[in-house]
Amino acid sequence: MNNEVISQGVKRQFKDDLFEQFARIGKALSSGRRLELLELLAQRERSVEELASEAALSVANCSQHLQILRAAQLVAVRRDGLFSRYRLADEQVLRLWLSFRQLGEARLAEVSRVVETYLKDRRALEAITNDQLIARLRTNDVVVLDVRPEEEFRAGHIAAARSIPITMLEQRLKEIPQRSTIVAYCRGPYCVFADDAVGLLRKHGYQAYRLQNGFPEWKMQGLPTATGAQS
Amino acid sequence: MNNEVISQGVKRQFKDDLFEQFARIGKALSSGRRLELLELLAQRERSVEELASEAALSVANCSQHLQILRAAQLVAVRRDGLFSRYRLADEQVLRLWLSFRQLGEARLAEVSRVVETYLKDRRALEAITNDQLIARLRTNDVVVLDVRPEEEFRAGHIAAARSIPITMLEQRLKEIPQRSTIVAYCRGPYCVFADDAVGLLRKHGYQAYRLQNGFPEWKMQGLPTATGAQS
DNA sequence: TCATTATTCAATCAACTACTTGAATATATG
DNA sequence: CATATATTCAAGTAGTTGATTGAATAATGA
């Protein structure tokens, strides 16, 4: 009897300890700022300063958030001269973040509300899915356009894609054949680079579409990717 | 120029709002208590009182945690007479929780440390994987034993299994043929019911093994399941 | 209707979190 | 070796969150 009581206590302690450990991951994921950092790191490795400026945080604050992500083993860091370069710890982290995001999209009405509020024009632009793009690539004449900053293209891109960062697109329009269908993609469903690209292309008479997802989702689905600069 | 500044501000607001929404899920997952509740709900629907007593919480405290999980749309509730019965909101939640747990196991050294501290004997008991069990079921004479409480068996179990709750196992030993190999399973890798069952069975001369994972993992993997009482 | 029971709400206090600031550390360069 | 730059650390403050109570609210069944 006494034995049982003790054993009960031990089991409770075990469960408390165990779930408290798992909760560390939850705590790391419980801040919008940190999720934004993960989303940025899903594109490529970045220094603290780059992250701070992209996420509109002070460097010290950003560094602190990164320490929290690191304590939960969600990101890893390497030293490169003067810089600390952060990246997602591994593919499992990307998978967790994507399924986390997917759950939010599917179940939190507020997410769709926020997206609709800010991205009103999104509906008008027909988006095509990864599978549809694969199908088109086999049969049609399609140009796949990566409009992210060039470093992100270099860190990894859809195998068939060519890079024209959104900031350069207007100047470099003549590189794109008028005859082809254009499919533009960027960082993911909450990035507006591809929206802007499609808008610009259509204004200039192209037949352009947005890819529904971005590069991380494509990669996670196991579809063909490549790294390095444009050949 | 003014335009651009405004647009920058709007984009920032959008990202802040969006990621803050996703962070609601992280917040819900940031307490060990709540994760334990999810783990329990992964087995079956439960009333507030059942959950409170299994997780060693006061009913009021438990209810509060459930409200938080519900606000993040991770659990759903239905009214059944005097009781509010809670369940996981859908399969995606189970998937998120399992990939969350998997990440913790793989990356947080403390998780393995806690498991090793409390479940020292675990190593001695060879565990067999889902795939190994499938293979054995085809060729060998195996009894698959569900040692969870009977209500959990009724709510869903491995198709080939028979139910003997761990609390009844000693009395009902004679129901199990001595010749067969026994594979016992329970709620999951952190549940000790199957460990206890294997210990007891071996003491009585059976050849018994623990299934590495529990029922939720089996189901998530798309392997054959059944519901309802024993036929 | 009233008594019973399960659940939720509200208020408290303690504990924690985010962000800021300024100093400290680490690395590279002249 | 001194200087510049990138990052981290430490301390302080304001604001928020969590656990715990006891009271209030539903829903049922007599």
Side-chain angles (χ1 to χ4, degrees):
Chain A
M1 201 130 179
N2 197 10
N3 235 341
E4 221 169 56
V5 172
I6 289 171
S7 149
Q8 283 296 33
V10 170
K11 275 185 191 170
R12 177 93 320 266
Q13 189 65 40
F14 167 58
K15 285 189 184 165
D16 284 355
D17 287 359
L18 183 71
F19 287 108
E20 210 44 62
Q21 287 306 321
F22 286 123
R24 285 170 56 199
I25 299 176
K27 290 206 178 92
L29 298 175
S30 71
S31 143
R33 300 300 165 93
R34 289 197 283 274
L35 295 181
E36 187 170 357
L37 293 176
L38 286 182
E39 177 85 343
L40 287 167
L41 291 172
Q43 304 299 324
R44 68 172 176 98
E45 189 181 68
R46 279 180 160 85
S47 72
V48 178
E49 207 193 8
E50 284 177 290
L51 287 166
S53 106
E54 287 248 29
L57 299 171
S58 77
V59 170
N61 189 8
C62 181
S63 170
Q64 214 160 277
H65 281 302
L66 288 167
Q67 298 313 309
I68 293 169
L69 289 170
R70 194 153 71 111
Q73 302 270 42
L74 296 176
V75 307
V77 65
R78 76 185 171 89
R79 193 83 199 192
D80 173 19
L82 282 175
F83 302 88
S84 292
R85 305 218 184 260
Y86 283 85
R87 63 180 184 280
L88 296 190
D90 65 17
E91 282 240 320
Q92 263 186 78
V93 176
L94 181 57
R95 187 174 308 121
L96 180 69
W97 165 235
L98 292 182
S99 75
F100 193 93
R101 226 185 52 190
Q102 209 179 330
L103 187 71
E105 281 164 36
R107 299 205 54 87
L108 295 179
E110 288 81 359
V111 169
S112 338
R113 219 207 53 230
V114 169
V115 172
E116 301 228 332
T117 305
Y118 291 97
L119 272 47
K120 297 191 209 60
D121 317 335
R122 178 65 61 92
R123 281 187 183 200
L125 307 174
E126 297 145 76
I128 80 167
T129 64
N130 289 351
D131 294 340
Q132 287 171 327
L133 177 54
I134 294 273
R136 285 201 176 204
L137 276 171
R138 270 199 288 269
T139 60
N140 291 63
D141 180 31
V142 185
V143 173
V144 183
L145 202 60
D146 186 318
V147 296
R148 298 174 300 163
E150 219 224 313
E151 303 82 42
E152 292 174 23
F153 178 84
R154 263 188 272 125
H157 54 261
I158 293 179
R162 54 178 306 175
S163 166
I164 303 183
I166 182 69
T167 49
M168 313 286 283
L169 187 55
E170 194 142 30
Q171 291 108 286
R172 294 174 58 183
L173 269 181
K174 52 181 68 89
E175 297 176 26
I176 307 170
Q178 280 273 6
R179 299 261 126 176
S180 314
T181 300
I182 320 291
V183 175
Y185 75 91
C186 53
R187 292 172 173 169
Y190 306 122
C191 176
V192 295
F193 292 160
D195 291 327
D196 293 349
V198 169
L200 187 71
L201 288 164
R202 290 196 181 171
K203 206 176 76 183
H204 285 85
Y206 288 89
Q207 204 189 7
Y209 303 94
R210 181 199 158 87
L211 186 65
Q212 199 166 54
N213 287 308
F215 175 67
E217 295 83 1
W218 178 276
K219 178 172 138 202
M220 203 65 248
Q221 216 181 307
L223 297 171
T225 66
T227 59
Q230 203 126 205
S231 54
Chain B
M1 202 134 178
N2 197 10
N3 236 341
E4 222 169 56
V5 173
I6 290 171
S7 151
Q8 283 296 36
V10 170
K11 276 186 191 170
R12 178 93 319 265
Q13 189 65 42
F14 167 56
K15 285 188 185 168
D16 285 356
D17 288 359
L18 183 70
F19 288 109
E20 210 44 62
Q21 287 306 321
F22 286 123
R24 285 171 56 199
I25 298 175
K27 291 205 178 93
L29 298 175
S30 71
S31 142
R33 301 298 165 91
R34 288 197 283 273
L35 295 182
E36 187 170 354
L37 293 176
L38 286 183
E39 177 84 343
L40 287 167
L41 291 172
Q43 305 299 326
R44 68 174 176 95
E45 190 181 69
R46 280 179 159 85
S47 73
V48 178
E49 208 195 9
E50 284 177 290
L51 287 165
S53 104
E54 288 247 30
L57 299 170
S58 76
V59 170
N61 190 5
C62 181
S63 170
Q64 209 162 280
H65 282 302
L66 288 167
Q67 296 314 307
I68 293 170
L69 289 170
R70 195 153 72 112
Q73 303 269 43
L74 297 176
V75 306
V77 63
R78 75 184 172 88
R79 193 83 197 189
D80 172 19
L82 281 177
F83 301 89
S84 292
R85 304 217 184 259
Y86 284 85
R87 61 180 187 281
L88 296 189
D90 64 18
E91 282 240 322
Q92 262 187 80
V93 176
L94 182 56
R95 188 174 305 123
L96 179 69
W97 163 233
L98 291 182
S99 75
F100 194 92
R101 229 184 50 188
Q102 210 179 329
L103 187 72
E105 280 164 37
R107 299 205 55 86
L108 295 180
E110 289 79 359
V111 169
S112 337
R113 220 207 54 231
V114 168
V115 172
E116 300 227 334
T117 304
Y118 291 97
L119 273 48
K120 296 190 208 63
D121 316 335
R122 178 64 62 91
R123 280 185 185 201
L125 308 174
E126 297 144 77
I128 80 169
T129 64
N130 289 350
D131 294 340
Q132 287 172 327
L133 178 54
I134 295 273
R136 285 201 175 204
L137 276 171
R138 271 198 288 268
T139 61
N140 291 64
D141 180 29
V142 185
V143 173
V144 184
L145 201 60
D146 186 319
V147 297
R148 299 175 299 162
E150 219 224 310
E151 302 83 41
E152 292 175 22
F153 178 85
R154 263 187 271 125
H157 54 261
I158 295 180
R162 55 179 304 176
S163 166
I164 305 187
I166 182 67
T167 49
M168 312 287 283
L169 187 55
E170 194 142 30
Q171 291 108 287
R172 292 174 57 183
L173 269 182
K174 51 181 68 89
E175 297 176 24
I176 308 170
Q178 280 272 3
R179 302 259 125 177
S180 311
T181 300
I182 319 294
V183 175
Y185 75 91
C186 52
R187 291 171 174 171
Y190 306 122
C191 175
V192 295
F193 293 160
D195 291 328
D196 293 349
V198 169
L200 188 71
L201 287 164
R202 289 196 179 173
K203 207 177 75 184
H204 285 83
Y206 288 90
Q207 205 189 8
Y209 302 94
R210 181 199 158 86
L211 188 65
Q212 198 166 54
N213 287 308
F215 175 67
E217 294 84 1
W218 178 276
K219 178 171 140 202
M220 205 64 248
Q221 215 182 306
L223 298 171
T225 66
T227 59
Q230 201 126 204
S231 55

